[in-house]
């Protein structure tokens, strides 16, 4: 992999104990970036993975267990990263959850949780990071949106609303920070075969009353003209471009990595 000139930089990656966030954190660490991991999971497993990444990449890797529904904990996580590393160059707002149901059956608590974790947490993390990045005169904010930040699908009202909100929030952030050396962009993946998507397959099968293999063929990958899941390296490559000096003029963008899903 090419050298993106990121050695010695510091990043916070929310929702990075599994799935896309974990892969993105690994890609940053491989470039010499110190990382604060965040997410839920078995504490022993998280510590083992943290230590392994630190040893393998030769960077400092810390963990902060901020609950993405609690603003004070999110702000503390950003402060923790700054205290540990003396800087904060990259914020990747990745944390997310999903629930699939018809609007009239959508549990209110699930709606509230999805909006809090998938959208509002990005506001709280960004709000805390901006003063640090402004002082540095450089920063990179990347929000993990979705193709569902650009188009809709049935039975995903809260997720679609949150991801559309993330795209709009990204644009406003970019405009406010355009003169401060800080960029803000959204990555909009199609379907990646993460643990979250595996759960969606089962939920969609239940909601639609069809078998799981039919969900993959007729629902999940039906949206993507290339008929292939997006792979982690496809997302990591875009992330590294955005957070490097090469991405300095790219800001306020919602960048699709979706096999052609949103081209139509």
């Amino acid at each position: 992999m090419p050298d993106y000139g990121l050695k010695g930089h510091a990043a916070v990656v929310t929702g990075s104990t599994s799935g896309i966030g974990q892969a993105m954190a690994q890609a940053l660490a491989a470039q010499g970036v110190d990382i604060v991991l965040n997410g839920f999971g078995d504490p022993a497993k998280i510590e083992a993975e943290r230590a392994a990444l630190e040893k393998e990449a030769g960077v400092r890797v810390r963990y902060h267990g901020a609950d993405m529904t609690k603003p004070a904990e999110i702000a503390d996580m950003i402060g923790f990263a700054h205290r540990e590393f003396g800087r904060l160059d990259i914020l990747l707002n990745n944390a997310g959850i999903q629930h699939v149901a018809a609007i009239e059956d959508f549990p209110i608590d699930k709606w509230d949780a999805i909006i809090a974790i998938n959208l509002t947490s990005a506001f709280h993390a960004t709000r805390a990071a901006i003063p640090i990045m402004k002082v540095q005169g450089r920063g990179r904010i990347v929000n993990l949106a979705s193709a569902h930040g650009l188009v809709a699908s049935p039975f995903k009202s809260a997720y679609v609303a949150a991801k559309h909100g993330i795209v709009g929030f990204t644009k406003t952030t970019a405009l406010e920070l355009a003169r401060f050396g800080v960029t803000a962009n959204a990555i909009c993946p199609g379907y990646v075969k993460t643990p979250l998507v595996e759960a969606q397959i089962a939920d969609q099968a239940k909601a639609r009353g069809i078998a799981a293999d039919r969900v993959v063929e007729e629902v999940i990958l039906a949206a993507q003209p290339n008929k292939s899941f997006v792979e982690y390296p496809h997302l990591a490559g875009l992330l590294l471009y955005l957070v490097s000096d090469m991405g300095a003029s790219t800001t306020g963008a919602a960048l699709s990595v979706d096999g052609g899903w949103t081209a139509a």
Side-chain angles (χ1 to χ4, degrees):
M1 184 175 287
D3 183 352
Y4 286 85
L6 300 173
K7 186 175 178 58
H9 287 206
V12 170
V13 183
T14 68
S16 49
T17 53
S18 66
I20 293 172
Q22 185 177 55
M24 296 296 222
Q26 291 169 346
L28 290 169
Q31 291 290 322
V33 178
D34 295 323
I35 305 285
V36 170
L37 301 172
N38 158 265
F40 292 134
D42 177 70
K45 183 180 179 183
I46 291 172
E47 172 54 25
E49 291 174 349
R50 183 208 64 78
L53 181 58
E54 186 170 72
K55 182 178 180 180
E56 179 182 346
V59 297
R60 293 175 291 177
V61 180
R62 304 290 186 263
Y63 171 76
H64 193 289
D67 182 332
M68 290 293 105
T69 67
K70 297 181 179 178
E73 293 188 17
I74 296 169
D76 185 70
M77 175 182 63
I78 299 300
F80 170 77
H82 193 217
R83 292 190 300 272
E84 286 290 306
F85 303 140
R87 59 191 295 160
L88 178 61
D89 304 278
I90 300 162
L91 170 62
L92 175 55
N93 289 308
N94 166 79
I97 60 173
Q98 176 65 289
H99 184 78
V100 177
I103 293 172
E104 67 270 27
D105 299 322
F106 213 98
I108 293 172
D109 62 333
K110 293 291 187 183
W111 172 279
D112 290 344
I114 289 171
I115 297 300
I117 294 172
N118 294 27
L119 175 58
T120 308
S121 72
F123 160 74
H124 291 299
T126 300
R127 181 177 183 272
I130 283 173
I132 299 169
M133 292 180 174
K134 277 186 173 180
V135 169
Q136 292 174 170
R138 188 189 190 283
R140 298 287 187 266
I141 299 167
V142 179
N143 297 319
L144 214 295
S146 167
H148 283 122
L150 304 172
V151 296
S153 292
F155 307 117
K156 296 183 179 181
S157 55
Y159 190 84
V160 170
K163 293 303 186 180
H164 272 66
I166 278 288
V167 170
F169 178 64
T170 300
K171 292 178 180 181
T172 297
T173 305
L175 293 176
E176 290 188 14
L177 300 178
R179 298 292 295 273
F180 294 94
V182 182
T183 67
N185 292 285
I187 297 176
C188 300
Y191 281 104
V192 186
K193 205 167 188 180
T194 63
L196 185 65
V197 168
E198 294 278 14
Q200 284 185 52
I201 293 169
D203 288 346
Q204 285 275 17
K206 182 178 179 181
R208 295 171 183 268
I210 61 176
D213 58 345
R214 284 187 60 196
V215 170
V216 172
E217 180 68 22
E218 299 173 16
V219 180
I220 304 294
L221 294 184
Q224 296 186 192
N226 69 349
K227 303 302 180 186
S228 298
F229 282 105
V230 177
E231 297 179 12
Y232 292 141
H234 305 160
L235 301 176
L238 179 54
L239 172 68
L240 294 174
Y241 162 76
L242 290 173
V243 302
S244 73
D245 288 343
M246 291 184 290
S249 292
T250 303
T251 193
L255 300 162
S256 296
V257 187
D258 63 10
W261 179 350
T262 57

